[in-house]
Amino acid sequence: MDQGRCTPEGNTLKVHVTDAIQNSCSKCTEIQKTKARKVVNYIRENNKDVWDELIKKYDPKDEYKEKYEAFLEGKF
């Protein structure tokens, strides 16, 4: 993360990650929400260092933790 040029997919992800973390993916379609949950839960379980970097960058004060945890559990 922040270690060079992003792929087009990476740039798209960067645009949406803030909304996803801060607003439970409010701009996402239901299909996008389902896919986001799947990808993020995979990262959390299999790439803890990457997950920690994401949270450090996009929610360093744990302001949105309750929201994104509920979203990832499918409550939103």
Coordinates of all heavy atoms in Angstrom, one line a residue:
M1 N 0.8 -1.2 0.0 CA 0.0 0.0 0.0 C 0.9 1.2 0.0 O 1.8 1.3 0.8 CB -0.9 0.0 1.2 CG -1.9 1.0 1.2 SD -3.1 1.0 2.5 CE -3.1 -0.6 3.1
D2 N 0.6 2.2 -0.9 CA 1.3 3.4 -1.0 C 2.8 3.1 -1.3 O 3.7 3.8 -0.8 CB 1.2 4.3 0.3 CG -0.2 4.8 0.4 OD1 -0.9 5.0 -0.6 OD2 -0.6 5.0 1.6
Q3 N 3.1 2.1 -2.0 CA 4.5 1.7 -2.3 C 4.8 1.7 -3.8 O 5.6 1.0 -4.3 CB 4.8 0.3 -1.7 CG 4.7 0.3 -0.2 CD 4.9 -1.0 0.4 OE1 5.2 -2.0 -0.3 NE2 4.8 -1.1 1.7
G4 N 4.0 2.5 -4.6 CA 4.3 2.5 -6.0 C 3.0 2.7 -6.7 O 1.9 3.0 -6.1
R5 N 3.0 2.6 -8.0 CA 1.8 2.8 -8.9 C 0.8 1.7 -8.7 O 1.1 0.5 -8.5 CB 2.2 2.8 -10.3 CG 3.1 4.0 -10.7 CD 3.4 3.9 -12.2 NE 3.1 5.3 -12.6 CZ 3.2 5.7 -13.9 NH1 3.6 4.8 -14.8 NH2 2.9 6.9 -14.2
C6 N -0.4 2.1 -8.7 CA -1.5 1.2 -8.6 C -2.0 0.7 -9.9 O -1.9 1.4 -10.9 CB -2.7 1.8 -7.9 SG -2.5 2.1 -6.1
T7 N -2.5 -0.5 -10.0 CA -3.2 -1.0 -11.2 C -4.5 -0.2 -11.3 O -5.0 0.4 -10.3 CB -3.5 -2.5 -11.0 OG1 -4.4 -2.7 -9.9 CG2 -2.2 -3.3 -10.8
P8 N -5.2 -0.3 -12.4 CA -6.5 0.3 -12.5 C -7.5 -0.2 -11.5 O -8.3 0.6 -10.9 CB -7.0 -0.1 -13.9 CG -5.7 -0.3 -14.7 CD -4.7 -0.9 -13.7
E9 N -7.4 -1.5 -11.2 CA -8.3 -2.1 -10.1 C -8.0 -1.5 -8.8 O -8.8 -1.2 -8.0 CB -8.1 -3.6 -10.1 CG -8.6 -4.3 -11.3 CD -7.6 -4.3 -12.5 OE1 -6.4 -3.9 -12.3 OE2 -7.9 -4.8 -13.5
G10 N -6.6 -1.3 -8.5 CA -6.2 -0.7 -7.2 C -6.7 0.7 -7.1 O -7.1 1.1 -6.0
N11 N -6.6 1.5 -8.2 CA -7.1 2.9 -8.1 C -8.6 2.9 -7.8 O -9.1 3.7 -7.1 CB -6.8 3.6 -9.4 CG -5.4 4.0 -9.5 OD1 -4.8 4.3 -8.5 ND2 -4.8 4.0 -10.7
T12 N -9.4 2.0 -8.4 CA -10.8 1.9 -8.2 C -11.1 1.6 -6.7 O -12.0 2.2 -6.1 CB -11.5 0.9 -9.1 OG1 -11.2 1.3 -10.5 CG2 -13.0 0.8 -8.9
L13 N -10.3 0.6 -6.2 CA -10.5 0.2 -4.8 C -10.2 1.4 -3.9 O -11.0 1.6 -2.9 CB -9.6 -0.9 -4.5 CG -9.6 -1.5 -3.1 CD1 -11.0 -2.0 -2.8 CD2 -8.6 -2.5 -2.9
K14 N -9.2 2.2 -4.2 CA -8.9 3.3 -3.3 C -10.0 4.3 -3.3 O -10.2 4.9 -2.2 CB -7.6 4.0 -3.8 CG -6.3 3.2 -3.4 CD -5.1 3.7 -4.0 CE -4.8 5.1 -3.9 NZ -3.4 5.5 -4.4
V15 N -10.7 4.5 -4.4 CA -11.8 5.4 -4.4 C -12.9 5.0 -3.5 O -13.5 5.8 -2.8 CB -12.3 5.6 -5.9 CG1 -13.6 6.4 -5.9 CG2 -11.2 6.3 -6.7
H16 N -13.1 3.7 -3.4 CA -14.3 3.2 -2.7 C -14.0 2.7 -1.3 O -15.0 2.6 -0.5 CB -14.9 2.0 -3.5 CG -15.4 2.4 -4.8 ND1 -16.5 3.2 -5.0 CD2 -14.9 2.2 -6.1 CE1 -16.8 3.4 -6.3 NE2 -15.8 2.8 -6.9
V17 N -12.8 2.6 -0.9 CA -12.5 2.0 0.4 C -12.9 3.0 1.5 O -13.4 2.5 2.6 CB -11.0 1.6 0.5 CG1 -10.1 2.8 0.7 CG2 -10.8 0.7 1.7
T18 N -12.8 4.2 1.4 CA -13.2 5.2 2.4 C -14.7 5.1 2.7 O -15.1 5.0 3.8 CB -12.8 6.6 2.0 OG1 -11.4 6.7 1.8 CG2 -13.2 7.6 3.1
D19 N -15.5 5.1 1.6 CA -16.9 4.9 1.8 C -17.2 3.6 2.4 O -18.1 3.5 3.3 CB -17.6 5.0 0.4 CG -19.1 4.8 0.6 OD1 -19.8 5.5 1.3 OD2 -19.6 3.8 -0.1
A20 N -16.6 2.6 2.0 CA -16.8 1.2 2.5 C -16.6 1.2 4.0 O -17.4 0.7 4.8 CB -16.0 0.2 1.8
I21 N -15.5 1.7 4.5 CA -15.1 1.7 5.9 C -16.0 2.7 6.7 O -16.5 2.3 7.8 CB -13.6 2.0 6.1 CG1 -12.8 0.8 5.6 CG2 -13.3 2.3 7.6 CD1 -11.3 1.0 5.7
Q22 N -16.2 3.9 6.2 CA -16.8 4.9 7.0 C -18.3 4.9 6.9 O -19.0 5.3 7.9 CB -16.3 6.3 6.6 CG -14.9 6.5 6.9 CD -14.3 7.8 6.4 OE1 -15.0 8.6 5.8 NE2 -13.1 8.1 6.7
N23 N -18.9 4.4 5.8 CA -20.3 4.4 5.6 C -20.9 3.1 5.3 O -22.0 3.0 4.6 CB -20.6 5.4 4.5 CG -20.2 6.8 4.9 OD1 -20.5 7.3 5.9 ND2 -19.4 7.4 4.0
S24 N -20.3 2.0 5.6 CA -20.8 0.7 5.4 C -21.2 0.4 3.9 O -22.2 -0.2 3.6 CB -22.1 0.4 6.2 OG -21.8 0.5 7.6
C25 N -20.3 1.0 3.1 CA -20.4 0.7 1.6 C -21.8 1.3 1.1 O -22.5 0.7 0.3 CB -20.3 -0.7 1.3 SG -19.5 -1.1 -0.3
S26 N -22.1 2.5 1.6 CA -23.4 3.1 1.2 C -23.7 3.3 -0.3 O -24.8 3.3 -0.7 CB -23.6 4.4 2.0 OG -22.7 5.4 1.5
K27 N -22.6 3.4 -1.0 CA -22.7 3.7 -2.5 C -22.7 2.4 -3.3 O -22.7 2.4 -4.5 CB -21.7 4.7 -2.9 CG -21.8 6.0 -2.3 CD -20.7 6.9 -2.7 CE -20.8 8.3 -2.0 NZ -19.6 9.1 -2.2
C28 N -22.5 1.3 -2.6 CA -22.4 0.0 -3.3 C -23.7 -0.6 -3.6 O -24.7 -0.4 -2.8 CB -21.6 -1.0 -2.4 SG -19.9 -0.5 -2.0
T29 N -23.8 -1.4 -4.6 CA -24.9 -2.2 -4.9 C -24.9 -3.4 -4.0 O -23.9 -3.7 -3.3 CB -24.9 -2.7 -6.4 OG1 -23.8 -3.6 -6.6 CG2 -24.9 -1.6 -7.4
E30 N -26.0 -4.2 -3.9 CA -26.0 -5.4 -3.1 C -24.9 -6.4 -3.5 O -24.3 -7.0 -2.7 CB -27.4 -6.0 -3.1 CG -28.4 -5.2 -2.3 CD -28.0 -4.9 -0.8 OE1 -27.5 -5.9 -0.1 OE2 -28.1 -3.8 -0.4
I31 N -24.8 -6.5 -4.8 CA -23.7 -7.4 -5.3 C -22.3 -6.9 -4.9 O -21.5 -7.7 -4.5 CB -23.8 -7.5 -6.9 CG1 -25.1 -8.3 -7.2 CG2 -22.6 -8.2 -7.4 CD1 -25.4 -8.3 -8.7
Q32 N -22.1 -5.6 -5.0 CA -20.8 -5.1 -4.6 C -20.6 -5.3 -3.1 O -19.5 -5.6 -2.7 CB -20.7 -3.6 -4.9 CG -20.6 -3.3 -6.4 CD -20.7 -1.9 -6.8 OE1 -21.5 -1.1 -6.2 NE2 -20.0 -1.4 -7.8
K33 N -21.6 -5.1 -2.3 CA -21.5 -5.3 -0.8 C -21.1 -6.8 -0.5 O -20.3 -7.0 0.3 CB -22.8 -5.0 -0.1 CG -23.1 -3.5 -0.1 CD -24.4 -3.2 0.6 CE -24.7 -1.7 0.6 NZ -25.9 -1.4 1.3
T34 N -21.8 -7.7 -1.2 CA -21.5 -9.1 -1.0 C -20.1 -9.4 -1.4 O -19.3 -10.1 -0.6 CB -22.5 -10.0 -1.9 OG1 -23.8 -9.7 -1.4 CG2 -22.2 -11.5 -1.7
K35 N -19.6 -8.9 -2.5 CA -18.2 -9.2 -2.9 C -17.2 -8.5 -2.0 O -16.2 -9.0 -1.7 CB -18.0 -8.7 -4.4 CG -18.8 -9.6 -5.3 CD -18.6 -9.2 -6.8 CE -19.3 -10.1 -7.7 NZ -19.1 -9.9 -9.1
A36 N -17.6 -7.3 -1.6 CA -16.7 -6.5 -0.6 C -16.5 -7.3 0.7 O -15.4 -7.4 1.2 CB -17.2 -5.1 -0.4
R37 N -17.6 -7.8 1.2 CA -17.5 -8.6 2.4 C -16.6 -9.8 2.2 O -15.8 -10.1 3.1 CB -18.9 -9.1 2.9 CG -19.7 -8.0 3.5 CD -21.1 -8.6 4.0 NE -21.9 -7.5 4.4 CZ -23.0 -7.1 3.7 NH1 -23.3 -7.6 2.5 NH2 -23.7 -6.1 4.1
K38 N -16.8 -10.5 1.1 CA -16.0 -11.7 0.8 C -14.5 -11.4 0.8 O -13.7 -12.0 1.4 CB -16.5 -12.3 -0.5 CG -15.8 -13.6 -0.8 CD -16.4 -14.3 -2.0 CE -15.8 -15.6 -2.3 NZ -16.4 -16.3 -3.5
V39 N -14.2 -10.3 0.0 CA -12.8 -10.0 -0.2 C -12.2 -9.5 1.2 O -11.1 -9.9 1.6 CB -12.6 -8.9 -1.2 CG1 -11.2 -8.3 -1.3 CG2 -13.0 -9.4 -2.6
V40 N -12.9 -8.6 1.9 CA -12.3 -8.1 3.1 C -12.2 -9.1 4.2 O -11.2 -9.2 4.9 CB -13.1 -6.9 3.6 CG1 -12.7 -6.4 5.0 CG2 -13.0 -5.7 2.6
N41 N -13.2 -10.0 4.3 CA -13.1 -11.1 5.3 C -11.9 -12.0 4.9 O -11.2 -12.5 5.8 CB -14.4 -11.8 5.4 CG -15.4 -11.0 6.2 OD1 -15.0 -10.4 7.2 ND2 -16.6 -11.0 5.8
Y42 N -11.7 -12.2 3.6 CA -10.5 -13.1 3.2 C -9.2 -12.4 3.7 O -8.3 -13.0 4.2 CB -10.5 -13.3 1.7 CG -9.3 -14.1 1.3 CD1 -9.4 -15.5 1.3 CD2 -8.1 -13.5 0.9 CE1 -8.2 -16.2 0.9 CE2 -7.0 -14.2 0.5 CZ -7.1 -15.6 0.5 OH -6.0 -16.3 0.2
I43 N -9.1 -11.1 3.4 CA -7.9 -10.3 3.8 C -7.7 -10.4 5.3 O -6.6 -10.6 5.7 CB -8.0 -8.9 3.3 CG1 -7.9 -8.8 1.7 CG2 -6.9 -8.0 3.9 CD1 -8.2 -7.5 1.1
R44 N -8.8 -10.2 6.0 CA -8.6 -10.2 7.5 C -8.2 -11.5 8.0 O -7.4 -11.6 8.9 CB -10.0 -9.9 8.1 CG -10.4 -8.4 8.0 CD -11.8 -8.2 8.5 NE -12.0 -8.6 9.8 CZ -13.0 -8.3 10.6 NH1 -14.0 -7.5 10.0 NH2 -13.2 -8.7 11.8
E45 N -8.6 -12.6 7.4 CA -8.3 -13.9 7.9 C -6.9 -14.4 7.3 O -6.2 -15.2 8.0 CB -9.4 -14.9 7.4 CG -10.7 -14.7 8.1 CD -11.8 -15.5 7.6 OE1 -11.5 -16.5 6.8 OE2 -13.0 -15.2 7.8
N46 N -6.5 -14.0 6.1 CA -5.3 -14.5 5.5 C -4.2 -13.6 5.3 O -3.1 -14.0 5.0 CB -5.7 -15.1 4.1 CG -6.7 -16.3 4.3 OD1 -6.3 -17.3 4.8 ND2 -8.0 -16.0 4.0
N47 N -4.4 -12.3 5.4 CA -3.4 -11.3 5.3 C -3.5 -10.2 6.3 O -3.8 -9.0 6.1 CB -3.5 -10.6 3.9 CG -3.2 -11.6 2.8 OD1 -2.1 -12.1 2.6 ND2 -4.2 -11.9 1.9
K48 N -3.3 -10.6 7.6 CA -3.5 -9.7 8.7 C -2.7 -8.4 8.6 O -3.2 -7.3 8.9 CB -3.1 -10.5 10.0 CG -3.2 -9.7 11.3 CD -4.6 -9.8 11.9 CE -4.6 -9.2 13.3 NZ -5.1 -7.9 13.3
D49 N -1.5 -8.5 8.1 CA -0.7 -7.3 7.9 C -1.3 -6.3 7.0 O -1.3 -5.1 7.2 CB 0.7 -7.7 7.4 CG 1.5 -8.5 8.4 OD1 1.2 -8.5 9.6 OD2 2.5 -9.1 8.0
V50 N -1.9 -6.8 5.9 CA -2.6 -5.9 4.9 C -3.8 -5.3 5.6 O -4.0 -4.1 5.4 CB -3.0 -6.7 3.6 CG1 -3.8 -5.8 2.7 CG2 -1.7 -7.1 2.9
W51 N -4.6 -6.1 6.3 CA -5.7 -5.5 7.0 C -5.3 -4.4 8.0 O -5.9 -3.4 8.1 CB -6.5 -6.7 7.7 CG -7.6 -6.2 8.5 CD1 -7.7 -6.2 9.9 CD2 -8.8 -5.5 8.1 NE1 -8.9 -5.6 10.3 CE2 -9.6 -5.2 9.2 CE3 -9.3 -5.2 6.8 CZ2 -10.8 -4.6 9.1 CZ3 -10.6 -4.6 6.7 CH2 -11.3 -4.3 7.8
D52 N -4.3 -4.7 8.8 CA -3.8 -3.7 9.7 C -3.4 -2.4 9.1 O -3.6 -1.3 9.6 CB -2.7 -4.3 10.6 CG -3.1 -5.4 11.5 OD1 -4.3 -5.5 11.8 OD2 -2.2 -6.2 12.0
E53 N -2.7 -2.5 7.9 CA -2.3 -1.3 7.2 C -3.5 -0.5 6.7 O -3.6 0.7 6.8 CB -1.5 -1.7 5.9 CG -0.1 -2.1 6.2 CD 0.7 -2.4 5.0 OE1 0.7 -1.6 4.1 OE2 1.3 -3.5 4.9
L54 N -4.5 -1.3 6.2 CA -5.8 -0.6 5.7 C -6.4 0.2 6.9 O -6.8 1.3 6.7 CB -6.8 -1.6 5.2 CG -6.5 -2.1 3.8 CD1 -7.4 -3.3 3.5 CD2 -6.8 -1.0 2.8
I55 N -6.6 -0.5 8.0 CA -7.2 0.2 9.1 C -6.4 1.4 9.6 O -6.9 2.4 10.0 CB -7.5 -0.8 10.3 CG1 -8.5 -1.8 9.8 CG2 -8.0 -0.2 11.5 CD1 -9.8 -1.2 9.2
K56 N -5.1 1.2 9.7 CA -4.2 2.2 10.1 C -4.3 3.5 9.2 O -4.3 4.6 9.7 CB -2.7 1.7 10.1 CG -1.7 2.7 10.6 CD -0.3 2.1 10.7 CE 0.7 3.1 11.1 NZ 2.1 2.5 11.1
K57 N -4.5 3.2 8.0 CA -4.6 4.3 7.0 C -6.0 5.0 7.0 O -6.1 6.2 7.0 CB -4.2 3.9 5.6 CG -4.4 5.0 4.6 CD -3.9 4.6 3.2 CE -4.0 5.8 2.3 NZ -3.2 5.6 1.1
Y58 N -7.0 4.2 7.0 CA -8.4 4.7 6.8 C -9.2 4.8 8.0 O -10.3 5.5 8.0 CB -9.1 3.8 5.8 CG -8.5 3.9 4.4 CD1 -7.7 2.9 3.9 CD2 -8.8 5.0 3.6 CE1 -7.1 3.0 2.6 CE2 -8.2 5.1 2.3 CZ -7.4 4.1 1.8 OH -6.8 4.2 0.6
D59 N -8.8 4.3 9.1 CA -9.5 4.4 10.4 C -8.5 4.4 11.6 O -8.6 3.5 12.5 CB -10.6 3.4 10.6 CG -11.5 3.7 11.7 OD1 -11.6 4.9 12.2 OD2 -12.1 2.7 12.2
P60 N -7.5 5.3 11.6 CA -6.5 5.2 12.6 C -7.0 5.4 14.1 O -6.4 4.9 15.0 CB -5.5 6.3 12.2 CG -6.3 7.2 11.4 CD -7.4 6.4 10.7
K61 N -8.1 6.0 14.2 CA -8.7 6.3 15.6 C -9.8 5.3 16.0 O -10.5 5.5 17.0 CB -9.1 7.7 15.7 CG -8.0 8.7 15.5 CD -8.5 10.1 15.6 CE -7.4 11.1 15.3 NZ -7.9 12.5 15.3
D62 N -10.0 4.3 15.1 CA -11.1 3.4 15.4 C -12.5 4.0 15.4 O -13.4 3.5 16.1 CB -10.9 2.5 16.6 CG -9.9 1.4 16.4 OD1 -9.7 1.0 15.3 OD2 -9.4 0.9 17.4
E63 N -12.7 5.1 14.7 CA -13.9 5.9 14.7 C -15.1 5.1 14.1 O -16.2 5.3 14.4 CB -13.8 7.2 14.0 CG -12.8 8.2 14.6 CD -12.7 9.4 13.8 OE1 -13.7 10.2 13.6 OE2 -11.6 9.7 13.3
Y64 N -14.7 4.3 13.1 CA -15.7 3.6 12.3 C -15.7 2.1 12.5 O -16.5 1.4 11.8 CB -15.4 3.9 10.8 CG -15.3 5.3 10.5 CD1 -14.1 5.9 10.3 CD2 -16.5 6.1 10.5 CE1 -14.0 7.3 10.1 CE2 -16.4 7.5 10.2 CZ -15.2 8.1 10.0 OH -15.1 9.4 9.8
K65 N -15.0 1.6 13.5 CA -14.9 0.2 13.7 C -16.2 -0.5 13.9 O -16.5 -1.6 13.3 CB -13.9 -0.1 14.9 CG -13.7 -1.6 15.1 CD -12.6 -1.8 16.1 CE -12.4 -3.3 16.2 NZ -11.2 -3.6 17.1
E66 N -17.0 0.0 14.7 CA -18.4 -0.6 15.0 C -19.2 -0.7 13.7 O -19.8 -1.7 13.4 CB -19.1 0.3 16.0 CG -20.4 -0.4 16.5 CD -21.0 0.4 17.6 OE1 -20.3 0.9 18.5 OE2 -22.3 0.5 17.6
K67 N -19.1 0.3 12.8 CA -19.8 0.3 11.6 C -19.3 -0.7 10.6 O -20.1 -1.5 10.1 CB -19.7 1.7 10.9 CG -20.9 2.6 11.1 CD -20.7 3.8 10.2 CE -21.9 4.7 10.4 NZ -21.9 5.9 9.6
Y68 N -18.0 -0.7 10.4 CA -17.5 -1.7 9.4 C -17.5 -3.1 9.9 O -17.7 -4.1 9.2 CB -16.1 -1.3 8.8 CG -14.9 -1.3 9.7 CD1 -14.4 -2.5 10.2 CD2 -14.3 -0.1 10.1 CE1 -13.2 -2.5 11.0 CE2 -13.2 -0.1 10.9 CZ -12.7 -1.3 11.3 OH -11.6 -1.3 12.1
E69 N -17.4 -3.3 11.2 CA -17.6 -4.7 11.8 C -19.0 -5.2 11.5 O -19.2 -6.3 11.1 CB -17.2 -4.7 13.2 CG -15.7 -4.5 13.5 CD -14.8 -5.6 13.1 OE1 -15.3 -6.8 12.8 OE2 -13.6 -5.4 13.0
A70 N -20.0 -4.4 11.8 CA -21.4 -4.8 11.5 C -21.6 -5.0 10.0 O -22.3 -6.0 9.7 CB -22.3 -3.7 12.0
F71 N -21.0 -4.2 9.2 CA -21.2 -4.4 7.8 C -20.6 -5.7 7.3 O -21.2 -6.5 6.6 CB -20.5 -3.2 7.0 CG -20.4 -3.5 5.5 CD1 -21.5 -3.4 4.7 CD2 -19.1 -3.8 5.0 CE1 -21.4 -3.7 3.3 CE2 -19.0 -4.1 3.6 CZ -20.1 -4.0 2.8
L72 N -19.4 -6.0 7.8 CA -18.7 -7.2 7.4 C -19.4 -8.5 8.0 O -19.3 -9.5 7.4 CB -17.2 -7.2 7.9 CG -16.4 -6.2 7.2 CD1 -15.0 -6.1 7.9 CD2 -16.2 -6.5 5.7
E73 N -20.2 -8.3 9.0 CA -21.0 -9.4 9.5 C -22.3 -9.6 8.8 O -23.1 -10.5 9.1 CB -21.2 -9.2 11.0 CG -20.0 -9.4 11.9 CD -20.2 -9.1 13.3 OE1 -21.4 -9.1 13.8 OE2 -19.3 -8.8 14.1
G74 N -22.6 -8.6 7.9 CA -23.8 -8.7 7.1 C -25.0 -8.0 7.7 O -26.1 -8.3 7.3
K75 N -24.8 -7.2 8.7 CA -25.9 -6.5 9.4 C -26.3 -5.2 8.7 O -27.3 -4.6 9.1 CB -25.5 -6.2 10.8 CG -25.2 -7.5 11.6 CD -24.8 -7.2 13.0 CE -24.5 -8.5 13.8 NZ -23.9 -8.2 15.1
F76 N -25.6 -4.8 7.7 CA -26.0 -3.7 6.9 C -26.3 -4.1 5.5 O -25.7 -4.9 4.9 CB -24.9 -2.6 6.9 CG -24.9 -1.8 8.1 CD1 -24.1 -2.1 9.2 CD2 -25.7 -0.7 8.2 CE1 -24.0 -1.3 10.3 CE2 -25.7 0.1 9.4 CZ -24.9 -0.2 10.4

